[in-house]
Amino acid sequence: MVMISSSFAAPPAPTDVVAEDLPADGGGAAADAVDGAATVKDEGASPSAKPSGGFFGGFFGGSRQPEAAAAAGDGDGRPTLLITGTSGWIGKLLAQAIVADGGMRVVSLSKQPCDVKGVETVLSDLLAPGLDEALASMRIDCCVHLAGAPSGCKMAKGQEHNLIGTRRLMDALLPTGCRRFIIASSIGAVGTGLPHHPPKQLPMPDEEPYGGYPWPYALTKFQVEELMHAYASEDEELQQEAQMDALPHLDLLVMRIGKIGRAHV
């Protein structure tokens, strides 16, 4: 199943919509670029575990229970959240908030160690040959994918970092058993750059079609959304062929990030 939330409508997370348009990586670097992989754990003490609430608590409703996670070999029995794009301020603030909540183990996928205390780092890159190997031994319950090319990118970079990078991340995580993904898209994917914007109807419906205007960033974000629909359709076909729920169904949440002010997150 694919759920889409636009910032014109009430988003599931408590985010205020204000001034500037930002790339999906939260203003940080585009997809990190390091070959090979290693795992680095920040030595800062993590907060005591406690039940997770809010949006992520609901999204984790069907995740592994702590006992199952511990039995699977995780030293930490909490659900594990992987975040890409922690070099951007949105990703960093998200990591800080989840660590402070204490209900989840937080892992960053980045070319350099995340400087948020309590966050582990997998040193790799969405486009690196070693991505599959870097994530193969990980037990990720949910992935929040924020990394990507900035809004002013050229077509080649947008295709490479937004579309191909997202596909490689999905293909690396799905074999590990990860079934929950939150993917950063953009309000640009639904025509917000067209001459007739703002739209006649507000809030803009999630079904608003892509306008087809010549903005590489918007096009690649639209393509990422279509890619998520393709993954969801493939998952449904596999479930039907097996005639059983061999794995939990794939849960995909696409969030169309709009104009978010740093002080309002």
Side-chain angles (χ1 to χ4, degrees):
M1 177 181 68
V2 180
M3 289 198 319
I4 296 179
S5 176
S6 301
S7 61
F8 285 107
T15 302
D16 292 333
V17 178
V18 290
E20 55 185 2
D21 191 21
L22 292 173
D25 67 352
D32 303 318
V34 170
D35 291 338
T39 302
V40 177
K41 183 172 183 179
D42 190 288
E43 295 302 325
S46 299
S48 300
K50 61 181 180 180
S52 176
F55 169 63
F56 282 100
F59 201 66
F60 273 112
S63 297
R64 295 176 297 156
Q65 296 300 314
E67 296 80 3
D74 297 344
D76 190 331
R78 298 173 297 171
T80 299
L81 176 70
L82 177 70
I83 304 174
T84 72
T86 55
S87 59
W89 62 269
I90 294 179
K92 184 174 182 178
L93 287 174
L94 174 62
Q96 290 173 337
I98 301 301
V99 169
D101 176 78
M104 282 173 274
R105 171 189 174 210
V106 183
V107 178
S108 167
L109 177 65
S110 178
K111 70 177 182 181
Q112 55 191 354
C114 179
D115 60 3
V116 177
K117 289 185 177 181
V119 174
E120 301 172 45
T121 303
V122 174
L123 296 177
S124 189
D125 168 50
L126 295 176
L127 301 174
L131 179 64
D132 290 355
E133 292 76 10
L135 297 174
S137 62
M138 303 292 296
R139 296 186 181 276
I140 304 298
D141 293 277
C142 178
C143 173
V144 178
H145 179 36
L146 298 171
S151 59
C153 65
K154 300 294 185 181
M155 182 64 74
K157 186 173 183 179
Q159 290 275 335
E160 186 176 52
H161 290 280
N162 292 341
L163 184 59
I164 297 175
T166 299
R167 178 182 58 78
R168 296 196 74 240
L169 178 67
M170 295 287 294
D171 290 348
L173 284 176
L174 285 172
T176 71
C178 183
R179 310 296 290 169
R180 289 177 164 82
F181 296 85
I182 300 172
I183 307 294
S185 182
S186 168
I187 58 174
V190 287
T192 57
L194 291 172
H196 62 262
H197 184 76
K200 297 178 180 179
Q201 178 183 350
L202 285 175
M204 180 183 288
D206 292 334
E207 300 76 25
E208 186 78 10
Y210 170 64
Y213 56 99
W215 182 16
Y217 176 76
L219 172 61
T220 58
K221 286 300 183 179
F222 166 73
Q223 290 173 330
V224 167
E225 292 189 7
E226 292 298 296
L227 179 65
M228 293 305 103
H229 284 291
Y231 275 109
S233 297
E234 183 179 62
D235 178 67
E236 288 296 329
E237 291 177 3
L238 290 174
Q239 296 285 355
Q240 291 176 7
E241 288 177 3
Q243 294 184 343
M244 59 181 292
D245 290 334
L247 282 173
H249 284 266
L250 189 60
D251 284 341
L252 297 165
L253 174 61
V254 175
M255 299 195 71
R256 290 173 178 155
I257 298 176
K259 299 178 179 180
I260 304 174
R262 188 185 300 261
H264 293 75
V265 175

